[in-house]
Amino acid sequence: MTSVVLILEMTGNYEQLFPLLVACLIAYLVGEQLRDKPIYEALLDYDLRRRGVHKDEASEPVLMDFAVEPGSLMDGRKVRDLGFPKGCLLVTVRRAGRDIVPGGDTRLRPGDQLTLVVAGTEPESVLQLQRSARASG
């Protein structure tokens, strides 16, 4: 539905509404039939496999959000230098109302809102991430 609304807003062309809805419905049904995973879960699985971490199928990944505080371990550092714990995938950085898809060169700033996917088998990773985002003192 999001794609339908976005296309209608961008084009202002309501003549294509029915074909667009049909295409979205077909894509949804094909995804359901193939039992395709959501994109962030698939990215987490790929990252875990690449790192050699075996995910327990019984545990679900956890989506978590937190802010980078001034003076924290994450403040002013590049994503590649953070050394995220195993089982963690940084998905987006929200800065000044805009979402950024982070790369290794993305430098974190105080006030950045981070969205991460953490493997359900790594609960200690959540605590480690939260400590890194908080200011020491």
Side-chain angles (χ1 to χ4, degrees):
M1 289 307 292
T2 303
S3 63
V4 172
V5 171
L6 288 175
I7 296 295
L8 287 175
E9 284 181 0
M10 289 182 354
T11 64
N13 184 355
Y14 293 97
E15 294 173 10
Q16 301 299 323
L17 180 61
F18 183 70
L20 183 60
L21 287 171
V22 170
C24 288
L25 178 64
I26 290 171
Y28 173 77
L29 293 175
V30 167
E32 285 294 309
Q33 284 294 344
L34 296 176
R35 301 195 190 286
D36 204 15
K37 290 182 181 178
I39 185 69
Y40 293 128
E41 188 175 339
L43 286 172
L44 175 63
D45 287 345
Y46 170 76
D47 191 48
L48 291 175
R49 277 195 310 273
R50 190 175 53 118
R51 293 182 185 191
V53 177
H54 300 287
K55 180 183 162 199
D56 179 10
E57 291 298 325
S59 63
E60 289 293 318
V62 176
L63 187 65
M64 61 179 288
D65 296 304
F66 56 88
V68 176
E69 294 181 8
S72 69
L73 294 173
M74 291 183 178
D75 182 9
R77 295 185 63 197
K78 290 184 178 181
V79 170
R80 78 169 56 140
D81 299 332
L82 292 175
F84 283 122
K86 84 178 173 180
C88 296
L89 176 66
L90 179 59
V91 179
T92 59
V93 175
R94 186 159 187 82
R95 180 179 294 157
R98 294 182 53 208
D99 285 334
I100 300 169
V101 178
D105 289 330
T106 303
R107 191 172 298 275
L108 298 180
R109 300 179 189 163
D112 285 351
Q113 296 288 326
L114 307 182
T115 301
L116 291 103
V117 179
V118 181
T121 57
E122 304 295 335
E124 65 278 354
S125 297
V126 174
L127 295 174
Q128 183 179 348
L129 287 167
Q130 289 174 336
R131 280 193 300 269
S132 296
R134 287 192 191 122
S136 56

